[in-house]
Amino acid sequence: MPESRPAYPGETLGLPKAGPGSLASIGRRLAALLIDWLIAYGLAALGLALGVFSERMLSTAVLVIWFLLGVVALRLFGFTPGQLALGLRVAALDDRLGLGRVALRGVLVALVIPALFTDWDGRGIQDRVTNTAVVRR
């Protein structure tokens, strides 16, 4: 007997169909990521202007700032600044968002490729490996 697809994304995870706690759409997640990257670029540009690092290190500085901003914000608050702006948060599906889980998730998102492969629920490899989901607040 073939398995049938769930009625909506997130049903198999025990999440509601709509409203708070439901899975966020790909568009909102991408917009939140863009906001986080723009913040990282702004902070890196400020560091460049203040002479903290050279122009040659700018792209690396942006990545490091983005990663640290994400890890600290997720660990402390459960959402990044971009996710805050769009009413999203990262939810641990089994426990809490520990530092290791948040750091691994950040590394996988930074690698880009894992985020491109999604399951029926729209969760990327980074969410499946860390057992998390980006949901609406």
Side-chain angles (χ1 to χ4, degrees):
M1 173 185 273
E3 290 186 31
S4 62
R5 283 202 151 162
Y8 61 89
E11 180 183 31
T12 58
L13 304 172
L15 301 175
K17 183 176 184 176
S22 64
L23 283 176
S25 69
I26 187 74
R28 286 174 71 134
R29 293 192 324 247
L30 285 173
L33 180 63
L34 177 64
I35 291 169
D36 292 335
W37 273 106
L38 291 174
I39 291 170
Y41 267 102
L43 291 172
L46 179 63
L48 181 64
L50 295 174
V52 176
F53 46 81
S54 68
E55 188 174 331
R56 190 171 161 211
M57 294 177 51
L58 185 61
S59 60
T60 303
V62 171
L63 179 62
V64 169
I65 291 168
W66 171 82
F67 177 77
L68 291 175
L69 179 69
V71 167
V72 170
L74 280 176
R75 180 62 183 101
L76 291 176
F77 309 113
F79 49 78
T80 66
Q83 291 170 344
L84 172 65
L86 293 172
L88 305 176
R89 69 180 176 88
V90 175
L93 298 176
D94 59 356
D95 196 8
R96 64 182 181 86
L97 289 173
L99 184 59
R101 181 184 298 207
V102 167
L104 177 59
R105 187 178 186 283
V107 167
L108 291 172
V109 172
L111 292 174
V112 179
I113 300 300
L116 297 177
F117 294 96
T118 61
D119 60 10
W120 164 251
D121 293 315
R123 294 184 323 144
I125 293 173
Q126 77 280 1
D127 286 325
R128 289 182 295 189
V129 166
T130 59
N131 202 24
T132 58
V134 180
V135 297
R136 295 178 182 173
R137 278 189 290 119

